[in-house]
Structure formats: structure tokens, C-alpha cells
Amino acid sequence: MTTTVRADQLGDAELQRHFDERIAHDQRIEPRDWMPEGYRKTLVRQIAQHAHSEIIGMQPEGNWLTRTPSLRRKAILLAKVQDEAGHGLYLYSAAETLGVDRAELTEKLIDRRQKYSSIFNYPTLTFADIGVIGWLVDGAAICNQVPLCRSSFGPYARAMVRICKEESFHQRQGYELLMTMMRGTAEQREMVQEATDRWWWPSLMMFGPPDADSPNTQQSMAWRIKRHTNDELRQKFVDMTVPQAEALGVTLPDPELRWNAERGHYDFGEPDWSELKRVIGGGGPCNEQRLARRRAAHEEGQWVREAAAAHAAKQAAREEVAR
Ligand SMILES: [Fe+2]
Ligand SMILES: [Fe+2]
């Protein structure tokens, strides 16, 4: 017995060494490869949270689908919201390669055992919000997600390549919408400014808590799941967005925002981290509504899932007879 245990332990050490080497050489880890349990769990948590965010993220924009100012805007918004559904599906599929299933993840989301991005708990009050979400929220998502195309886990990295291409369309459609409104009436310009004021700080919070309060970051970076810290990504987003705001003609609501020539970056104010904690903890303006809507959609979709399963079983039985 003793010999067996020792051999197993040696086996694990060997597997761990092989895993570490692949990570060090920037090689991808694939679903059938051995991986430490912590790596698998971290990925399941991160990919599930990401998938849930894509799905819940359809709600704030879906709110305006029946009230777009033109057919053209409706077609664009519909395409964008459908893309987000697709992103959710690619990501649930990536999570399934780690041995969990989509139904289980959805249950965890609607039972509040797994989270989604805090940004989707804010309301969309005017049509300018649709433009600002594309510009700032999809813009922040791009900053977060482009480095994930090089994430060490193969299925996640590959899903991100396709998602990022679509995210850049989302950002452009938002910016183009805002440009159009800024060329319009004084009232339209005011709407854009007001929406920017509401979404700016929540967008900065999309990168998560500051590095000092982000206990998992170091391990995720060592495993090359993440490539940059929250604060690095937040800085990158600010540097990218300030010139865009200038071109648009809106003011970002931060009196501390200024170029720092020494650092070669913009300095900016501190987001209200207590607000982030409150919104993540369920106290945002729309948390209840978002989860209730998701739960209802899941329950109302039960017959579709049953019908699809019955159809698949029938097909399989027919193929069996044909053989
Ligand atoms: Fe997306
Ligand atoms: Fe998007």
C-alpha cells in the first residue's frame, strides 16, 4: 500500500512539473490535460461569471429595443444584443469543457451563488445610455478581454478571439450613435453628457477592486489566466478613453483627471469602492429586477429545453433503426 501511495504522489509531482513548464513556455492547457484543482476552479468561476455577465448584460439594452428612434437603430441594437447572447453561449461551452454543465451554472446564478459584472445593475434611463454603454462598457470590456485571447486555457482563449472582434463593433456603434447625437440639438447633447456622467464611474469599477484588495490576482497572473492587474487595465482604459471624450465633446466627471507627463498616463480620481461593494453585494439599483427577469426567462424556457431534448432523443432513436 505504502508503495502505491508514494507512486501516486510522485505521479502528481511529475504532472505538476509538466503543467508548470507548459505555463512557463506560454503553451496552452487543453481540457484533457492534467491541471491543478485550484486552476480548474478559478477558471470555472471566472468563465461562469463572464458568461453570466454577457447574458444579464442583454437586459439593460433590451430595455430600449422597442423604443429605438429609427429602424436602422433597431437593427443595430438587435444585432448587438444577439451578439451578447452568443458570447454567453461560447463561454458556457468553454466552461463545460472543465466538467461543469450550463444548467448547473444557471442555477447558481439565479440562486445568487455566482456573480455577474456589477455594471449591469445600473438602469438605462435614456437612449443616450445605449450609445454610452457601447462606448464605455464595451470599451472597458475590450480592455479586459483582449489580453484574455492569450489566456493559458485553450477553450477560453479561443472563445475570446471571436468575442473581441464583435466587441469592437459594439464599441463603434455606440460611439457613432453618440457622435450623431452630439451633432443634433442642445437637448440631445445634454442627454449624452448626462449619460456619460452616470456611466463613467461604474465603468471604471468594471475592472474590479484595486490591486491591493484583489487577493486572487497574483495567482491568476502566475497561471497566466490573467495577464494584467486590475489597476493596469483601468489605467489603460482611462488613457484610451480621454481622447475619445475630447473628440466627442463631452466632459468626464472627474475633477482630478489630468495628463501626467512624467508617468506618461492620465491621473484620475479614486472610484467609490464602497459603492462597488454594495452593488456586488446585491444593493445596486437593478439587482433584484435583473435576477428576477433571468429567473423568469429560465422558467419560461423550460418547455423549449424539454422539446429540444425530446427531439434529440427521437433523432437518435431513428438513427439507431436506420443502422
Ligand atoms: Fe459581449
Ligand atoms: Fe459587447
Side-chain angles (χ1 to χ4, degrees):
M1 276 310 279
T2 325
T3 334
T4 320
V5 170
R6 203 172 292 150
D8 283 354
Q9 283 168 345
L10 260 183
D12 272 359
E14 189 71 7
L15 290 164
Q16 177 76 50
R17 199 180 54 77
H18 187 66
F19 173 87
D20 292 342
E21 244 167 47
R22 294 190 67 160
I23 296 282
H25 288 98
D26 253 339
Q27 284 169 349
R28 291 268 161 83
I29 305 298
E30 296 297 337
R32 285 188 190 147
D33 294 337
W34 182 90
M35 60 188 83
E37 193 47 23
Y39 177 84
R40 197 186 72 84
K41 277 196 177 145
T42 301
L43 276 166
V44 169
R45 194 187 57 230
Q46 181 173 334
I47 300 174
Q49 183 168 326
H50 194 162
H52 299 330
S53 302
E54 302 282 358
I55 297 295
I56 296 273
M58 290 192 283
Q59 292 187 38
E61 291 176 291
N63 180 38
W64 282 91
L65 275 174
T66 55
R67 293 177 290 160
T68 53
S70 68
L71 185 59
R72 177 173 175 264
R73 292 292 168 197
K74 192 196 283 281
I76 295 172
L77 187 58
L78 203 53
K80 196 234 183 218
V81 171
Q82 284 177 335
D83 282 354
E84 306 300 7
H87 297 174
L89 299 187
Y90 308 154
L91 288 162
Y92 284 128
S93 300
E96 285 186 324
T97 68
L98 291 158
V100 289
D101 80 29
R102 190 185 307 182
E104 175 192 337
L105 299 177
T106 301
E107 292 294 333
K108 283 188 175 163
L109 167 68
I110 57 188
D111 291 347
R112 301 167 203 263
R113 282 177 290 149
Q114 280 179 344
K115 304 209 178 298
Y116 57 90
S117 175
S118 59
I119 192 80
F120 302 117
N121 292 311
Y122 292 88
T124 41
L125 303 180
T126 73
F127 197 69
D129 288 30
I130 299 305
V132 170
I133 287 179
W135 174 37
L136 297 180
V137 175
D138 290 277
I142 290 169
C143 282
N144 259 330
Q145 292 174 359
V146 165
L148 292 174
C149 297
R150 294 187 297 122
S151 173
S152 58
F153 186 58
Y156 192 30
R158 288 189 289 273
M160 292 320 302
V161 172
R162 184 151 169 200
I163 290 176
C164 283
K165 284 187 184 149
E166 294 176 349
E167 294 302 357
S168 74
F169 154 66
H170 298 171
Q171 199 207 15
R172 276 151 198 260
Q173 69 81 32
Y175 199 72
E176 189 265 347
L177 165 52
L178 297 176
M179 277 291 196
T180 307
M181 289 185 81
M182 292 303 280
R183 284 193 301 267
T185 63
E187 208 183 345
Q188 285 176 308
R189 280 191 289 277
E190 240 167 69
M191 272 171 75
V192 175
Q193 182 61 58
E194 190 270 337
T196 304
D197 291 345
R198 278 184 289 110
W199 289 92
W200 175 247
W201 292 105
S203 300
L204 291 187
M205 293 178 201
M206 283 176 71
F207 298 93
D211 293 348
D213 286 335
S214 178
N216 300 325
T217 292
Q218 284 316 315
Q219 181 61 75
S220 283
M221 292 198 33
W223 278 330
R224 301 200 182 173
I225 295 174
K226 262 180 103 154
R227 296 283 178 158
H228 305 283
T229 71
N230 297 353
D231 288 336
E232 284 167 8
L233 292 167
R234 195 167 5 251
Q235 179 73 64
K236 195 170 174 233
F237 174 68
V238 171
D239 291 347
M240 177 181 102
T241 308
V242 174
Q244 294 171 352
E246 281 165 10
L248 198 56
V250 295
T251 312
L252 297 172
D254 178 358
E256 291 173 53
L257 192 66
R258 63 181 59 86
W259 177 249
N260 181 329
E262 219 167 279
R263 290 200 310 124
H265 292 290
Y266 284 93
D267 289 337
F268 56 100
E270 185 86 5
D272 178 359
W273 299 121
S274 64
E275 178 179 324
L276 176 63
K277 274 194 192 128
R278 192 175 71 241
V279 176
I280 289 180
C286 298
N287 293 57
E288 291 303 318
Q289 184 189 333
R290 301 289 186 240
L291 271 185
R293 185 75 205 95
R294 184 70 198 92
R295 184 175 296 117
H298 187 60
E299 285 164 7
E300 284 160 19
Q302 178 65 26
W303 71 271
V304 180
R305 292 189 294 278
E306 281 168 10
H311 179 72
K314 228 187 240 173
Q315 286 286 101
R318 246 181 239 148
E319 274 164 31
E320 191 64 28
V321 170
R323 246 184 251 148

